[in-house]
Amino acid sequence: MTPRVRFAPSPTGYFHVGSARTSLFNWLYARQSGGTFILRIEDTDAERGREEWLAGIITAMAWLGLSADEGPFRQSSFELRHRELAEKLYESGFLYACDCKRDQIDTRTKDRKTPGYDGYCRDRGVMRSETTGLRFRTPDLGETVVRDVIRGDVVFPHDAMEDFMAVKSSGAPLFPLANMIDDREMEITHVIRGEDLLPTAPKQILMWQALNEIDVTLDLPAYAHLPMLVNEQRKKLSKRKDPVAVESYRDKGYLPQAFVNYLSLLGWAPKGKDEILSLEQLVEQFRLEDVNHAPAFFDIAKMTHINGEYLRAMTVDAFMESAKPWVHPDEGDWVPSDHEIPWTRERFQEDRWRVIAPFVQERITMLSEVTAMIDFLFLETPRFDEAAVTKVLVNDADAVLILERAIEVFSVTDFVPEVLHAALADLSEAMGMKLRKTQAPIRVALTGTSVGPPLFESMVILGLDEVLKRLNAAVVIAQG
RNA sequence: GGUCCCAUCGUCUAGCGGCCUAGGACGCCUCCCUUUCAAGGAGGUAGCACGGGUUCGAAUCCCGUUGGGACUGCCA
């Protein structure tokens, strides 16, 4: 029997890194086992589910390169079947009606000092109505064992399990039931999901076994509960408090391959030395059984490093293609949020970009950094970094002299990187200064900042006229 | 409170009884290279939570302690 796995997110917010990781591990398992990867949207909570969130899930998964073999299915479309089976469960006595209110339960719980539902309605023979939900009659004796591929057998004694709510008073099954029914209907063989769902696994197993008695008999799926992804406080990543939107990483210029590669390293490690692995290599090397048990911290610094590795490994053409959203105003399928491109379309020059691109490529770790590194090529006047201007132009007594001598020298020098380099080196020596000192005011004059692509290459791109114009302007600034 | 999960450098991890005076990666620090910044090269910093067992031998097995976390909703 070929494996069938599913990723079952609820569309209650943007797609976050935890979901991406769960999705990835499911996908990897399906690909390497020749199995089927199913996408099922758990949209039964009409209050919270929204269409745009669903679109967000699809878009994010496509960006990551995780395509579903079946689906997307919507759980809401299976509601009739859920209700039908819930009804059978009730008629067979596995479920019973309960009309307790939350505060009543809490009051009794407080008195007893033992938590959870106390089974008050278990044998009261409460008649069903619009105000009664259905609870599952948990066995008093014995235990339920969750066979987990990652953690081994996890034992849940029945005497500590409460009679949990399985069906709302509206008649609609709650998550544990609906989710389990869908897994049965779709013949899911491996349930790979977050560790936060481990406590609901025994409930689902109990109900699965109940359905086996009154409906088709099906083997239980294998379970694999992935360790949580946590923040610096070691708490489960929160959509509200932590920066976890996958889309925001795309907008900052992380490459999907790098993002996926990093995600695969959370809770799992390849056998070999290399941790930079393509999706194909991941499919080949990934082992569900080898996934860790301990929670993992989502470390943006390490992901950023990996992104840099991917960026540098690209061909210049691929790099330029990937950088498009941060270079070309209003071109491409999407626009990065919170990112301004300071130049106009008219001033942008593709040939200048092409020449500088290789130098930019090895200097950045996120594509969003491209813009600030090349803007001086497309702006009438460079954006001046105040701190840099103050330090190397205004406060440096040698600045004016360096700039004036440089203007003389560059005016009669061939605009070729090596020649310019030699010319400034000679000038520096004549002035008794280090090249690293003389290049500073020139760099700020031409680019506006003290960091950026190599100076002489940048000068060649700007050309003699532009260089002289900016150097002269800088002399004025330096003179105060 | 109850149930369950977890515990190797700051972080992600390798390790599944001797190969470990614990390896790699990120970060950080130093140096080299150098037209800035990166990249690259060389080196360094830092860890088996604690206590008992088991064993000739324990990071590895068992128990306990401590510490984290998840769940505990007519949300999913």
Side-chain angles (χ1 to χ4, degrees), chain A residues 111-165:
Chain A
D111 295 342
R112 286 185 316 129
K113 287 186 60 183
T114 44
Y117 184 68
D118 58 359
Y120 181 73
C121 295
R122 213 172 213 221
D123 301 305
R124 281 177 62 223
V126 177
M127 294 307 293
R128 292 188 68 184
S129 73
E130 313 78 58
T131 59
T132 56
L134 261 31
R135 287 183 183 276
F136 185 81
R137 192 184 300 271
T138 304
D140 299 320
L141 303 171
E143 60 193 28
T144 288
V145 178
V146 178
R147 307 207 89 105
D148 193 288
V149 177
I150 296 170
R151 286 154 214 281
D153 290 356
V154 183
V155 182
F156 293 84
H158 293 329
D159 56 17
M161 282 175 71
E162 63 173 335
D163 285 354
F164 57 89
M165 194 61 85

Short mmCIF file of all heavy atoms in Angstrom, two decimals, chain A residues 111-165:
data_model
loop_
_atom_site.label_atom_id
_atom_site.label_comp_id
_atom_site.label_asym_id
_atom_site.label_seq_id
_atom_site.Cartn_x
_atom_site.Cartn_y
_atom_site.Cartn_z
N ASP A 111 -14.36 22.39 42.86
CA ASP A 111 -14.65 21.68 44.10
C ASP A 111 -13.89 20.36 44.19
O ASP A 111 -13.36 20.00 45.22
CB ASP A 111 -16.15 21.40 44.22
CG ASP A 111 -16.93 22.70 44.33
OD1 ASP A 111 -16.30 23.72 44.66
OD2 ASP A 111 -18.15 22.70 44.10
N ARG A 112 -13.85 19.66 43.05
CA ARG A 112 -13.24 18.34 43.07
C ARG A 112 -11.71 18.38 43.01
O ARG A 112 -11.05 17.43 43.36
CB ARG A 112 -13.72 17.52 41.87
CG ARG A 112 -15.15 17.02 42.00
CD ARG A 112 -15.44 16.13 40.81
NE ARG A 112 -14.93 16.74 39.58
CZ ARG A 112 -14.16 16.11 38.72
NH1 ARG A 112 -13.81 14.86 38.92
NH2 ARG A 112 -13.73 16.71 37.63
N LYS A 113 -11.21 19.50 42.55
CA LYS A 113 -9.76 19.65 42.40
C LYS A 113 -9.16 18.70 41.36
O LYS A 113 -7.95 18.60 41.24
CB LYS A 113 -9.03 19.46 43.75
CG LYS A 113 -9.24 20.66 44.67
CD LYS A 113 -8.41 20.56 45.94
CE LYS A 113 -6.93 20.50 45.64
NZ LYS A 113 -6.13 20.32 46.86
N THR A 114 -10.00 17.98 40.64
CA THR A 114 -9.50 17.20 39.52
C THR A 114 -10.09 17.84 38.27
O THR A 114 -11.29 18.11 38.23
CB THR A 114 -9.93 15.72 39.59
OG1 THR A 114 -11.32 15.66 39.95
CG2 THR A 114 -9.10 14.96 40.59
N PRO A 115 -9.25 18.11 37.32
CA PRO A 115 -9.67 18.89 36.15
C PRO A 115 -10.44 18.10 35.11
O PRO A 115 -10.59 16.88 35.20
CB PRO A 115 -8.33 19.33 35.59
CG PRO A 115 -7.43 18.19 35.89
CD PRO A 115 -7.89 17.64 37.22
N GLY A 116 -10.91 18.82 34.12
CA GLY A 116 -11.59 18.20 33.00
C GLY A 116 -13.05 17.90 33.29
O GLY A 116 -13.54 18.09 34.41
N TYR A 117 -13.71 17.46 32.28
CA TYR A 117 -15.13 17.15 32.42
C TYR A 117 -15.32 15.94 33.34
O TYR A 117 -14.60 14.95 33.26
CB TYR A 117 -15.74 16.87 31.05
CG TYR A 117 -17.22 16.64 31.12
CD1 TYR A 117 -18.08 17.69 31.46
CD2 TYR A 117 -17.77 15.38 30.89
CE1 TYR A 117 -19.44 17.48 31.56
CE2 TYR A 117 -19.13 15.17 30.97
CZ TYR A 117 -19.97 16.23 31.31
OH TYR A 117 -21.32 16.02 31.41
N ASP A 118 -16.31 16.03 34.22
CA ASP A 118 -16.48 15.00 35.24
C ASP A 118 -17.44 13.87 34.88
O ASP A 118 -17.72 13.00 35.70
CB ASP A 118 -16.94 15.66 36.55
CG ASP A 118 -18.25 16.43 36.34
OD1 ASP A 118 -18.75 16.45 35.20
OD2 ASP A 118 -18.74 17.01 37.32
N GLY A 119 -17.96 13.90 33.67
CA GLY A 119 -18.86 12.82 33.28
C GLY A 119 -20.27 12.97 33.85
O GLY A 119 -21.03 12.01 33.93
N TYR A 120 -20.60 14.18 34.23
CA TYR A 120 -21.90 14.47 34.86
C TYR A 120 -23.09 13.95 34.06
O TYR A 120 -24.02 13.36 34.62
CB TYR A 120 -22.02 15.98 35.06
CG TYR A 120 -23.29 16.44 35.73
CD1 TYR A 120 -23.49 16.22 37.10
CD2 TYR A 120 -24.28 17.09 35.00
CE1 TYR A 120 -24.65 16.64 37.71
CE2 TYR A 120 -25.45 17.51 35.61
CZ TYR A 120 -25.64 17.30 36.97
OH TYR A 120 -26.79 17.71 37.58
N CYS A 121 -23.06 14.14 32.75
CA CYS A 121 -24.22 13.75 31.92
C CYS A 121 -24.13 12.33 31.36
O CYS A 121 -25.01 11.90 30.61
CB CYS A 121 -24.37 14.72 30.75
SG CYS A 121 -24.76 16.41 31.27
N ARG A 122 -23.08 11.68 31.71
CA ARG A 122 -22.81 10.35 31.15
C ARG A 122 -24.02 9.42 31.16
O ARG A 122 -24.39 8.83 30.15
CB ARG A 122 -21.69 9.70 31.96
CG ARG A 122 -20.81 8.83 31.12
CD ARG A 122 -19.62 8.37 31.95
NE ARG A 122 -18.49 8.25 31.08
CZ ARG A 122 -17.60 7.24 31.14
NH1 ARG A 122 -17.67 6.36 32.10
NH2 ARG A 122 -16.64 7.17 30.27
N ASP A 123 -24.63 9.31 32.31
CA ASP A 123 -25.75 8.38 32.42
C ASP A 123 -27.04 9.06 32.83
O ASP A 123 -27.92 8.45 33.43
CB ASP A 123 -25.37 7.27 33.44
CG ASP A 123 -24.13 6.54 33.01
OD1 ASP A 123 -24.11 6.02 31.88
OD2 ASP A 123 -23.14 6.54 33.79
N ARG A 124 -27.14 10.34 32.53
CA ARG A 124 -28.36 11.06 32.90
C ARG A 124 -29.42 10.92 31.83
O ARG A 124 -30.56 11.34 32.03
CB ARG A 124 -28.05 12.54 33.12
CG ARG A 124 -27.40 12.83 34.50
CD ARG A 124 -27.06 14.31 34.60
NE ARG A 124 -28.26 15.15 34.53
CZ ARG A 124 -28.33 16.27 33.82
NH1 ARG A 124 -27.30 16.69 33.13
NH2 ARG A 124 -29.45 16.97 33.80
N GLY A 125 -29.04 10.37 30.70
CA GLY A 125 -30.02 10.21 29.64
C GLY A 125 -30.56 11.54 29.14
O GLY A 125 -31.76 11.69 28.88
N VAL A 126 -29.69 12.51 29.01
CA VAL A 126 -30.10 13.83 28.53
C VAL A 126 -30.63 13.71 27.10
O VAL A 126 -30.04 13.04 26.25
CB VAL A 126 -28.89 14.80 28.54
CG1 VAL A 126 -29.28 16.15 27.98
CG2 VAL A 126 -28.33 14.91 29.95
N MET A 127 -31.80 14.32 26.84
CA MET A 127 -32.36 14.28 25.50
C MET A 127 -31.64 15.29 24.62
O MET A 127 -31.27 16.36 25.08
CB MET A 127 -33.86 14.63 25.54
CG MET A 127 -34.70 13.59 26.28
SD MET A 127 -34.44 11.91 25.66
CE MET A 127 -35.14 12.06 24.00
N ARG A 128 -31.47 14.95 23.35
CA ARG A 128 -30.76 15.88 22.46
C ARG A 128 -31.64 17.07 22.13
O ARG A 128 -32.84 16.95 21.97
CB ARG A 128 -30.39 15.16 21.17
CG ARG A 128 -29.36 14.09 21.39
CD ARG A 128 -28.87 13.54 20.07
NE ARG A 128 -28.11 14.53 19.32
CZ ARG A 128 -27.64 14.31 18.10
NH1 ARG A 128 -27.88 13.16 17.50
NH2 ARG A 128 -26.95 15.24 17.48
N SER A 129 -30.99 18.22 22.05
CA SER A 129 -31.70 19.44 21.65
C SER A 129 -30.69 20.39 21.03
O SER A 129 -29.54 20.02 20.82
CB SER A 129 -32.33 20.08 22.88
OG SER A 129 -31.34 20.67 23.69
N GLU A 130 -31.15 21.60 20.75
CA GLU A 130 -30.24 22.57 20.13
C GLU A 130 -29.17 23.04 21.11
O GLU A 130 -28.24 23.74 20.75
CB GLU A 130 -30.99 23.82 19.63
CG GLU A 130 -32.25 23.56 18.86
CD GLU A 130 -33.40 23.20 19.78
OE1 GLU A 130 -33.72 24.02 20.67
OE2 GLU A 130 -33.97 22.10 19.62
N THR A 131 -29.32 22.66 22.37
CA THR A 131 -28.34 23.12 23.34
C THR A 131 -27.45 22.00 23.86
O THR A 131 -26.65 22.21 24.75
CB THR A 131 -29.03 23.78 24.54
OG1 THR A 131 -29.90 22.83 25.14
CG2 THR A 131 -29.80 25.00 24.12
N THR A 132 -27.60 20.82 23.30
CA THR A 132 -26.74 19.73 23.78
C THR A 132 -25.67 19.37 22.76
O THR A 132 -25.95 19.20 21.58
CB THR A 132 -27.57 18.45 24.05
OG1 THR A 132 -28.27 18.09 22.86
CG2 THR A 132 -28.54 18.66 25.18
N GLY A 133 -24.47 19.25 23.26
CA GLY A 133 -23.39 18.76 22.43
C GLY A 133 -23.27 17.28 22.69
O GLY A 133 -23.97 16.74 23.55
N LEU A 134 -22.38 16.62 21.94
CA LEU A 134 -22.19 15.19 22.13
C LEU A 134 -20.77 14.92 22.64
O LEU A 134 -19.80 15.40 22.05
CB LEU A 134 -22.40 14.45 20.80
CG LEU A 134 -23.73 13.77 20.50
CD1 LEU A 134 -24.92 14.48 21.15
CD2 LEU A 134 -23.94 13.70 18.99
N ARG A 135 -20.70 14.18 23.73
CA ARG A 135 -19.38 13.84 24.27
C ARG A 135 -19.05 12.39 24.00
O ARG A 135 -19.95 11.54 23.91
CB ARG A 135 -19.36 14.08 25.79
CG ARG A 135 -19.32 15.54 26.18
CD ARG A 135 -19.22 15.72 27.68
NE ARG A 135 -19.24 17.13 28.03
CZ ARG A 135 -18.17 17.91 28.02
NH1 ARG A 135 -16.98 17.39 27.72
NH2 ARG A 135 -18.25 19.19 28.31
N PHE A 136 -17.78 12.12 23.91
CA PHE A 136 -17.33 10.74 23.69
C PHE A 136 -17.16 10.05 25.03
O PHE A 136 -16.57 10.59 25.95
CB PHE A 136 -16.00 10.72 22.94
CG PHE A 136 -15.53 9.33 22.59
CD1 PHE A 136 -16.05 8.67 21.47
CD2 PHE A 136 -14.61 8.67 23.38
CE1 PHE A 136 -15.64 7.37 21.15
CE2 PHE A 136 -14.21 7.36 23.08
CZ PHE A 136 -14.72 6.72 21.96
N ARG A 137 -17.74 8.87 25.13
CA ARG A 137 -17.65 8.09 26.36
C ARG A 137 -16.29 7.38 26.40
O ARG A 137 -16.10 6.34 25.80
CB ARG A 137 -18.78 7.06 26.37
CG ARG A 137 -19.01 6.36 27.70
CD ARG A 137 -20.08 5.29 27.55
NE ARG A 137 -21.38 5.83 27.12
CZ ARG A 137 -22.32 6.26 27.98
NH1 ARG A 137 -22.13 6.19 29.27
NH2 ARG A 137 -23.45 6.74 27.50
N THR A 138 -15.35 7.98 27.10
CA THR A 138 -14.00 7.42 27.19
C THR A 138 -14.02 6.19 28.08
O THR A 138 -14.65 6.21 29.14
CB THR A 138 -13.03 8.45 27.80
OG1 THR A 138 -13.09 9.64 27.01
CG2 THR A 138 -11.61 7.93 27.79
N PRO A 139 -13.36 5.12 27.68
CA PRO A 139 -13.32 3.92 28.52
C PRO A 139 -12.74 4.26 29.90
O PRO A 139 -11.88 5.12 30.01
CB PRO A 139 -12.38 2.98 27.76
CG PRO A 139 -12.39 3.47 26.36
CD PRO A 139 -12.59 4.95 26.45
N ASP A 140 -13.25 3.57 30.93
CA ASP A 140 -12.75 3.82 32.28
C ASP A 140 -11.42 3.11 32.52
O ASP A 140 -10.57 3.59 33.26
CB ASP A 140 -13.75 3.34 33.32
CG ASP A 140 -15.07 4.09 33.18
OD1 ASP A 140 -15.02 5.31 32.94
OD2 ASP A 140 -16.14 3.45 33.28
N LEU A 141 -11.32 1.96 31.92
CA LEU A 141 -10.12 1.15 32.17
C LEU A 141 -9.21 1.09 30.95
O LEU A 141 -9.62 1.41 29.85
CB LEU A 141 -10.54 -0.28 32.55
CG LEU A 141 -11.46 -0.39 33.77
CD1 LEU A 141 -11.99 -1.83 33.90
CD2 LEU A 141 -10.72 0.05 35.02
N GLY A 142 -8.01 0.65 31.18
CA GLY A 142 -7.08 0.46 30.08
C GLY A 142 -6.37 1.72 29.66
O GLY A 142 -6.34 2.72 30.39
N GLU A 143 -5.80 1.67 28.49
CA GLU A 143 -5.01 2.79 27.99
C GLU A 143 -5.01 2.76 26.48
O GLU A 143 -5.32 1.73 25.86
CB GLU A 143 -3.58 2.67 28.53
CG GLU A 143 -2.91 1.37 28.09
CD GLU A 143 -1.63 1.05 28.84
OE1 GLU A 143 -1.50 1.48 30.00
OE2 GLU A 143 -0.77 0.36 28.26
N THR A 144 -4.67 3.90 25.91
CA THR A 144 -4.53 3.96 24.46
C THR A 144 -3.09 4.29 24.14
O THR A 144 -2.51 5.19 24.74
CB THR A 144 -5.47 5.03 23.86
OG1 THR A 144 -6.82 4.54 23.94
CG2 THR A 144 -5.14 5.30 22.41
N VAL A 145 -2.53 3.54 23.21
CA VAL A 145 -1.14 3.75 22.83
C VAL A 145 -1.06 4.40 21.46
O VAL A 145 -1.65 3.92 20.50
CB VAL A 145 -0.37 2.40 22.79
CG1 VAL A 145 1.07 2.63 22.34
CG2 VAL A 145 -0.42 1.72 24.15
N VAL A 146 -0.36 5.51 21.41
CA VAL A 146 -0.13 6.17 20.12
C VAL A 146 1.21 5.68 19.62
O VAL A 146 2.25 5.92 20.24
CB VAL A 146 -0.10 7.71 20.30
CG1 VAL A 146 0.18 8.38 18.94
CG2 VAL A 146 -1.41 8.21 20.87
N ARG A 147 1.17 4.97 18.51
CA ARG A 147 2.44 4.49 17.93
C ARG A 147 2.99 5.61 17.06
O ARG A 147 2.49 5.87 15.98
CB ARG A 147 2.20 3.24 17.08
CG ARG A 147 1.44 2.15 17.79
CD ARG A 147 1.79 0.79 17.23
NE ARG A 147 2.93 0.26 17.95
CZ ARG A 147 2.83 -0.72 18.86
NH1 ARG A 147 1.66 -1.26 19.14
NH2 ARG A 147 3.90 -1.16 19.49
N ASP A 148 4.03 6.26 17.56
CA ASP A 148 4.58 7.41 16.86
C ASP A 148 5.91 7.06 16.21
O ASP A 148 6.80 6.55 16.86
CB ASP A 148 4.76 8.56 17.87
CG ASP A 148 5.01 9.89 17.19
OD1 ASP A 148 6.11 10.08 16.65
OD2 ASP A 148 4.11 10.74 17.21
N VAL A 149 5.99 7.32 14.92
CA VAL A 149 7.19 6.99 14.16
C VAL A 149 8.41 7.70 14.73
O VAL A 149 9.53 7.19 14.72
CB VAL A 149 7.02 7.39 12.68
CG1 VAL A 149 8.30 7.11 11.89
CG2 VAL A 149 5.85 6.66 12.07
N ILE A 150 8.20 8.91 15.22
CA ILE A 150 9.31 9.71 15.74
C ILE A 150 9.60 9.42 17.21
O ILE A 150 10.74 9.27 17.61
CB ILE A 150 9.01 11.21 15.54
CG1 ILE A 150 8.94 11.53 14.06
CG2 ILE A 150 10.08 12.06 16.23
CD1 ILE A 150 8.41 12.92 13.73
N ARG A 151 8.55 9.32 18.00
CA ARG A 151 8.74 9.19 19.45
C ARG A 151 8.58 7.81 20.04
O ARG A 151 8.77 7.60 21.23
CB ARG A 151 7.73 10.09 20.17
CG ARG A 151 8.05 11.53 20.09
CD ARG A 151 6.80 12.38 20.23
NE ARG A 151 6.96 13.54 19.39
CZ ARG A 151 7.70 14.60 19.74
NH1 ARG A 151 8.28 14.65 20.90
NH2 ARG A 151 7.84 15.60 18.92
N GLY A 152 8.16 6.87 19.23
CA GLY A 152 7.91 5.55 19.80
C GLY A 152 6.50 5.50 20.37
O GLY A 152 5.66 6.31 20.02
N ASP A 153 6.24 4.56 21.25
CA ASP A 153 4.90 4.42 21.81
C ASP A 153 4.65 5.43 22.93
O ASP A 153 5.44 5.54 23.85
CB ASP A 153 4.71 3.00 22.38
CG ASP A 153 4.63 1.97 21.27
OD1 ASP A 153 4.64 2.37 20.08
OD2 ASP A 153 4.56 0.77 21.58
N VAL A 154 3.55 6.15 22.80
CA VAL A 154 3.18 7.10 23.85
C VAL A 154 1.88 6.60 24.47
O VAL A 154 0.88 6.41 23.77
CB VAL A 154 2.98 8.52 23.27
CG1 VAL A 154 2.66 9.50 24.40
CG2 VAL A 154 4.23 8.96 22.52
N VAL A 155 1.92 6.36 25.76
CA VAL A 155 0.79 5.73 26.45
C VAL A 155 -0.10 6.76 27.17
O VAL A 155 0.39 7.59 27.92
CB VAL A 155 1.31 4.71 27.49
CG1 VAL A 155 0.14 4.02 28.19
CG2 VAL A 155 2.21 3.69 26.80
N PHE A 156 -1.40 6.67 26.92
CA PHE A 156 -2.34 7.54 27.60
C PHE A 156 -3.34 6.69 28.40
O PHE A 156 -4.21 6.03 27.81
CB PHE A 156 -3.12 8.39 26.59
CG PHE A 156 -2.27 9.40 25.86
CD1 PHE A 156 -1.55 9.04 24.74
CD2 PHE A 156 -2.19 10.72 26.32
CE1 PHE A 156 -0.76 9.98 24.07
CE2 PHE A 156 -1.41 11.65 25.65
CZ PHE A 156 -0.68 11.28 24.53
N PRO A 157 -3.22 6.65 29.73
CA PRO A 157 -4.15 5.88 30.56
C PRO A 157 -5.56 6.48 30.46
O PRO A 157 -5.71 7.70 30.49
CB PRO A 157 -3.59 6.04 31.98
CG PRO A 157 -2.18 6.50 31.79
CD PRO A 157 -2.18 7.29 30.53
N HIS A 158 -6.57 5.63 30.32
CA HIS A 158 -7.93 6.12 30.16
C HIS A 158 -8.46 6.85 31.38
O HIS A 158 -9.29 7.74 31.26
CB HIS A 158 -8.86 4.95 29.82
CG HIS A 158 -8.59 4.36 28.48
ND1 HIS A 158 -8.11 5.10 27.43
CD2 HIS A 158 -8.73 3.09 28.01
CE1 HIS A 158 -7.97 4.32 26.36
NE2 HIS A 158 -8.32 3.10 26.69
N ASP A 159 -8.00 6.44 32.57
CA ASP A 159 -8.58 7.07 33.77
C ASP A 159 -8.24 8.56 33.87
O ASP A 159 -8.85 9.29 34.64
CB ASP A 159 -8.15 6.32 35.05
CG ASP A 159 -6.64 6.23 35.19
OD1 ASP A 159 -5.92 6.98 34.50
OD2 ASP A 159 -6.18 5.39 35.97
N ALA A 160 -7.27 8.99 33.09
CA ALA A 160 -6.94 10.42 33.10
C ALA A 160 -7.54 11.15 31.91
O ALA A 160 -7.34 12.35 31.74
CB ALA A 160 -5.43 10.60 33.11
N MET A 161 -8.25 10.42 31.08
CA MET A 161 -8.87 11.07 29.90
C MET A 161 -10.33 11.40 30.18
O MET A 161 -11.10 10.54 30.57
CB MET A 161 -8.77 10.14 28.68
CG MET A 161 -7.39 10.14 28.05
SD MET A 161 -7.28 8.93 26.70
CE MET A 161 -8.30 9.69 25.44
N GLU A 162 -10.67 12.64 29.93
CA GLU A 162 -12.05 13.05 30.19
C GLU A 162 -12.95 12.67 29.00
O GLU A 162 -12.47 12.32 27.94
CB GLU A 162 -12.10 14.57 30.38
CG GLU A 162 -11.67 15.32 29.13
CD GLU A 162 -11.86 16.82 29.25
OE1 GLU A 162 -12.72 17.25 30.04
OE2 GLU A 162 -11.16 17.56 28.54
N ASP A 163 -14.25 12.73 29.26
CA ASP A 163 -15.21 12.54 28.17
C ASP A 163 -15.22 13.85 27.38
O ASP A 163 -15.88 14.82 27.79
CB ASP A 163 -16.60 12.25 28.74
CG ASP A 163 -16.71 10.83 29.27
OD1 ASP A 163 -15.75 10.06 29.10
OD2 ASP A 163 -17.75 10.51 29.88
N PHE A 164 -14.49 13.87 26.30
CA PHE A 164 -14.34 15.12 25.55
C PHE A 164 -15.49 15.39 24.60
O PHE A 164 -16.21 14.48 24.20
CB PHE A 164 -13.01 15.10 24.78
CG PHE A 164 -12.88 13.91 23.84
CD1 PHE A 164 -13.34 13.99 22.54
CD2 PHE A 164 -12.31 12.71 24.29
CE1 PHE A 164 -13.23 12.90 21.68
CE2 PHE A 164 -12.20 11.62 23.44
CZ PHE A 164 -12.67 11.70 22.13
N MET A 165 -15.66 16.64 24.27
CA MET A 165 -16.73 17.05 23.36
C MET A 165 -16.34 16.66 21.93
O MET A 165 -15.23 16.92 21.49
CB MET A 165 -16.89 18.57 23.47
CG MET A 165 -18.15 19.12 22.87
SD MET A 165 -19.66 18.52 23.62
CE MET A 165 -19.84 19.63 25.00
#
